Amino acid sequence: MKTRILIVSIYIFFTTSVTAQTKTEALKTHPGNSVEIIRYSIPNDQHANFEKAYDEACEYLKKSKYCLSFEVLHGDEEPDHYMVVINWTSKEEHLNGFRKSVEFVPFFTLVKPFYNNIDEMKHYYSTKTSSNKAEHE
């Protein structure tokens, strides 16, 4: 079940979070891009605080030259579950670029209160198997 949710979430991210043109251009520009998936379990009484933290923290992702796109997903069937999906230029540039940049400290300060709520934090890469109907229109 968790794998199915992850696959569906990744599909939703790639088909809805950025325009098809932007996604296509990003992949051409950064063929070694890396998708970071962070899964959280957030208690109901902390949902608003979590979402506010990421609303503010996303400003630092927008400023980062290493972040191509991002999205925060809220579980429908399991409302205490969230996924943060960040498309980085590469895993190396995320770890050695963004984490050493001026944007990292204020970003991490905002999301750090939820660090212990992380269920998974891993990098993935795109395969050639995908489809985006918006690209074909």
Side-chain angles (χ1 to χ4, degrees):
M1 180 65 167
K2 288 181 181 180
T3 302
R4 194 167 118 206
I5 291 170
L6 177 61
I7 291 168
V8 169
S9 297
I10 291 171
Y11 172 78
I12 290 168
F13 169 73
F14 282 117
T15 58
T16 63
S17 68
V18 294
T19 65
Q21 184 64 29
T22 302
K23 177 62 180 159
T24 301
E25 291 306 312
L27 288 173
K28 286 179 186 173
T29 306
H30 304 283
N33 71 325
S34 180
V35 178
E36 181 183 23
I37 306 287
I38 311 166
R39 291 186 313 106
Y40 289 91
S41 293
I42 304 295
N44 186 41
D45 64 341
Q46 290 295 307
H47 289 186
N49 292 334
F50 177 81
E51 291 181 22
K52 182 177 185 248
Y54 264 98
D55 282 344
E56 294 174 13
C58 76
E59 293 305 315
Y60 299 99
L61 292 176
K62 288 178 186 176
K63 292 177 184 177
S64 174
K65 66 182 180 180
Y66 306 109
C67 178
L68 299 173
S69 62
F70 59 89
E71 186 172 17
V72 177
L73 303 169
H74 187 187
D76 187 14
E77 292 85 4
E78 297 178 289
D80 287 348
H81 291 202
Y82 284 84
M83 288 182 62
V84 176
V85 182
I86 306 172
N87 191 11
W88 298 103
T89 52
S90 72
K91 179 180 175 182
E92 293 73 26
E93 288 182 340
H94 166 224
L95 299 175
N96 299 313
F98 177 70
R99 289 193 179 175
K100 295 178 181 176
S101 72
V102 297
E103 292 89 10
F104 179 72
V105 171
F107 168 82
F108 189 66
T109 299
L110 290 163
V111 300
K112 187 178 179 180
F114 303 98
Y115 186 81
N116 290 331
N117 298 87
I118 294 175
D119 297 325
E120 174 187 23
M121 180 168 48
K122 294 183 180 174
H123 290 90
Y124 295 82
Y125 60 89
S126 298
T127 66
K128 293 180 181 181
T129 306
S130 65
S131 177
N132 185 333
K133 289 185 180 187
E135 289 179 347
H136 304 290
E137 294 177 354

